[in-house]
Amino acid sequence: MSIQTLTAADIDRMQAADPRTADRSTLKDIRDVNVDTGLPKRERILDYINQIGNPYCYRHGAYVVKISFADTDATLEERMLSYMRAKC
């Protein structure tokens, strides 16, 4: 499957991947992904997705990694600062 042929159903399926039941042999290892930083932003994103396959569920060595995103305007940096302030 190419990024140009991805459907909304494909994206929903990728997001729903369960790391506990995922077939590790089909997941790409993020350490094998090499994105050309000289490309424009859109092309870098497409290159990354084409290489990783499922950007929501992949491997890092023996570990299966599952990521998700919150629907918010807050940045990761803002969340980290808020967390650190709450802990200090």
Side-chain angles (χ1 to χ4, degrees):
M1 167 179 23
S2 161
I3 186 70
Q4 286 78 15
T5 61
L6 275 179
T7 65
D10 293 328
I11 294 169
D12 289 343
R13 181 183 46 75
M14 288 189 289
Q15 287 176 332
D18 185 340
R20 297 168 295 186
T21 59
D23 181 355
R24 291 171 187 256
S25 68
T26 64
L27 298 176
K28 303 283 176 64
D29 192 320
I30 196 159
R31 297 174 303 169
D32 297 330
V33 174
N34 296 304
V35 177
D36 181 353
T37 57
L39 294 173
K41 181 179 179 181
R42 177 173 167 70
E43 290 180 37
R44 285 194 314 266
I45 293 169
L46 294 175
D47 183 40
Y48 171 75
I49 294 172
N50 277 325
Q51 290 183 61
I52 198 71
N54 183 347
Y56 300 97
C57 189
Y58 52 84
R59 281 186 312 108
H60 184 278
Y63 300 99
V64 174
V65 177
K66 170 72 181 208
I67 62 169
S68 61
F69 301 93
D71 186 15
T72 179
D73 291 332
T75 66
L76 178 58
E77 182 177 338
E78 291 167 343
R79 295 287 186 191
M80 292 299 291
L81 286 171
S82 175
Y83 176 77
M84 287 189 281
R85 285 182 184 127
K87 295 294 180 182
C88 292

